[in-house]
């Protein structure tokens, strides 16, 4: 009997035939078999239809995440689930939203947003009166709208550029609509809530049209599409959690090239760029990285 290699929760069966991966379900302790041929077919179908390349994501984590969804819905394989959801626009949209981890809220991690508002943005404004900002992986739009509120208060009447991009077309439509729940506004001050939102139902708030008009939304695949340049500030927070280290390094180098000299990259609280010096960044503050002024 052949030996099996163990890697974290992933066991690789090296017996005859296509490799079979067994994944331990963390909640119930059950062992679920995943056929490698099925996984490869699923990845190719997904890439052909959406441009999402799962080879650039951490394999074990993505397998667990998707397998939980597949088995929860009563399917026996990745491909059978994919073929089912791709026939229904709403089901497929929900699948892509799950896959791309669209979790967001206004002023997420308030203490870091306070640093952004009171330290980082004032420094950037001292260099340029009109800022060029990119919210990469903007999800439901909470992040770029938060930036727009800050700039509306700091520089009233000034038209900055705020680009907001995401891979998920349907989540971008939600962002453009600008309607949010009470929970999504939980980190907004009462003053800003009253100033920038109108309550439309018991649990729905619509953002001020003048703030909505400040954002340019665009579909963009961070792992595939070309990047614009000349940004003063790039925010990419809680986006790369499932990316491979190679994909993350490539991404952060591309962000470096997209920043103006002196421009800032703002990442999530679990996404510190440990090799920032190799890429040319300066560590401005925790989770803020600056392209030096002379580069």
């Amino acid at each position: 009997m052949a030996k099996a290699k163990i890697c974290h929760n992933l066991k690789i069966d090296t017996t005859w035939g296509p490799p079979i991966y067994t994944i331990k379900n963390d909640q119930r302790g059950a062992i679920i078999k995943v056929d490698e041929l099925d996984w490869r077919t699923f990845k190719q179908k997904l890439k052909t239809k959406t441009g999402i390349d799962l080879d650039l994501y951490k394999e074990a984590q993505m397998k667990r995440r998707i397998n939980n969804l597949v088995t929860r819905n009563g399917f026996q394989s990745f491909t059978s689930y994919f073929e089912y959801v791709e026939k229904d626009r709403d089901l497929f949209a929900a699948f892509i939203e799950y896959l791309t981890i669209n979790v967001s809220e206004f002023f997420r991690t308030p203490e870091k947003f306070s640093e952004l508002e009171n330290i980082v943005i004032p420094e950037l404004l001292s260099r340029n009166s009109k800022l060029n900002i990119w919210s990469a992986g903007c999800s439901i739009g909470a992040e770029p709208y938060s930036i727009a509120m800050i700039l509306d208060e700091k520089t009233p009447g000034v038209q900055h550029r705020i680009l907001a991009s995401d891979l998920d077309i349907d989540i971008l439509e939600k962002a453009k609509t600008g309607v949010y729940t009470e929970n999504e506004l939980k980190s907004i001050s009462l003053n800003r809530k009253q100033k920038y939102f109108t309550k439309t139902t018991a649990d729905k708030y619509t953002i001020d049209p003048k703030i909505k008009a400040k954002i340019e939304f665009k579909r963009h695949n961070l792992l595939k599409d070309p990047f614009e340049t000349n940004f003063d500030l790039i925010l990419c927070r809680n986006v790369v959690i499932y990316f491979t280290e190679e994909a993350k390094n490539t991404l952060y180098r591309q962000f470096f090239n997209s920043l103006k000299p002196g421009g800032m990259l703002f990442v999530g609280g679990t996404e510190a760029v440990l090799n920032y010096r190799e890429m040319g960044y300066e560590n401005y503050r925790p989770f803020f990285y600056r392209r030096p002024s002379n580069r």
Side-chain angles (χ1 to χ4, degrees):
M1 180 173 166
K3 293 183 179 180
K5 299 178 183 177
I6 304 294
C7 179
H8 302 294
N9 282 341
L10 197 65
K11 180 186 289 185
I12 304 175
D13 189 343
T14 56
T15 53
W16 293 105
I20 300 294
Y21 288 70
T22 59
I23 303 172
K24 183 176 180 181
N25 183 298
D26 293 330
Q27 293 178 333
R28 295 173 298 174
I31 300 297
I32 304 163
K33 290 194 173 184
V34 177
D35 188 305
E36 179 63 10
L37 179 59
D38 173 44
W39 174 246
R40 289 200 302 268
T41 303
F42 166 79
K43 287 192 297 182
Q44 186 57 53
K45 284 178 175 288
L46 180 68
K47 185 176 181 179
T48 299
K49 188 173 180 69
T50 68
I52 299 173
D53 185 355
L54 289 183
D55 286 333
L56 299 175
Y57 292 72
K58 295 175 182 176
E59 185 172 281
Q61 289 91 328
M62 289 306 290
K63 277 185 175 176
R64 272 199 301 275
R65 181 174 177 79
I66 300 169
N67 193 78
N68 286 341
L69 181 65
V70 170
T71 55
R72 191 164 66 237
N73 283 279
F75 289 84
Q76 300 302 310
S77 69
F78 292 110
T79 51
S80 62
Y81 178 73
F82 184 86
E83 289 165 357
Y84 172 72
V85 298
E86 72 172 338
K87 296 174 184 176
D88 184 290
R89 187 183 186 283
D90 292 338
L91 286 176
F92 195 75
F95 167 61
I96 296 301
E97 182 175 349
Y98 175 86
L99 194 63
T100 52
I101 319 165
N102 286 303
V103 179
S104 188
E105 64 186 53
F106 286 83
F107 297 90
R108 185 172 183 176
T109 321
E111 66 277 9
K112 301 310 294 183
F113 250 92
S114 178
E115 290 181 32
L116 178 68
E117 178 175 359
N118 297 306
I119 300 171
V120 176
I121 286 180
E123 176 170 330
L124 294 175
L125 286 170
S126 71
R127 296 167 175 266
N128 301 289
S129 59
K130 292 185 178 182
L131 300 181
N132 188 20
I133 297 172
W134 179 17
S135 172
C138 69
S139 185
I140 60 174
E143 181 175 88
Y145 285 140
S146 298
I147 296 293
M149 292 178 213
I150 291 172
L151 290 174
D152 183 63
E153 293 175 350
K154 287 192 174 297
T155 56
V158 177
Q159 185 59 50
H160 305 276
R161 184 190 181 218
I162 305 175
L163 172 65
S165 70
D166 203 274
L167 177 63
D168 188 338
I169 294 174
D170 292 283
I171 213 70
L172 282 173
E173 287 303 313
K174 174 177 169 59
K176 291 176 186 178
T177 301
V179 178
Y180 298 96
T181 64
E182 183 84 50
N183 188 58
E184 288 164 339
L185 305 186
K186 64 185 179 183
S187 295
I188 290 186
S189 67
L190 179 60
N191 177 58
R192 281 178 171 157
K193 189 174 178 180
Q194 293 173 339
K195 183 177 180 181
Y196 293 114
F197 291 88
T198 301
K199 190 170 186 178
T200 50
T201 67
D203 188 46
K204 297 289 184 182
Y205 294 79
T206 301
I207 199 161
D208 188 329
K210 78 171 184 178
I211 294 298
K212 190 191 295 189
K214 294 177 183 292
I215 313 300
E216 174 188 335
F217 288 103
K218 174 185 176 182
R219 184 182 189 272
H220 184 269
N221 186 338
L222 287 169
L223 299 176
K224 178 183 177 183
D225 296 332
F227 287 18
E228 292 186 31
T229 58
N230 212 36
F231 289 106
D232 296 284
L233 173 66
I234 298 174
L235 302 94
C236 186
R237 307 174 66 228
N238 310 296
V239 174
V240 305
I241 182 172
Y242 288 124
F243 289 8
T244 64
E245 289 304 311
E246 182 180 0
K248 282 192 282 190
N249 287 338
T250 299
L251 180 66
Y252 290 141
R253 286 189 171 94
Q254 286 178 294
F255 282 150
F256 181 91
N257 292 331
S258 290
L259 288 168
K260 292 177 182 176
M264 300 277 190
L265 170 66
F266 180 21
V267 302
T270 60
E271 299 166 336
V273 185
L274 300 180
N275 56 339
Y276 65 90
R277 288 190 185 89
E278 295 174 23
M279 300 180 189
Y281 290 102
E282 298 172 340
N283 190 357
Y284 180 72
R285 300 180 71 83
F287 309 108
F288 290 94
Y289 301 90
R290 179 167 56 190
R291 176 172 176 166
S293 299
N294 59 352
R295 294 192 62 182

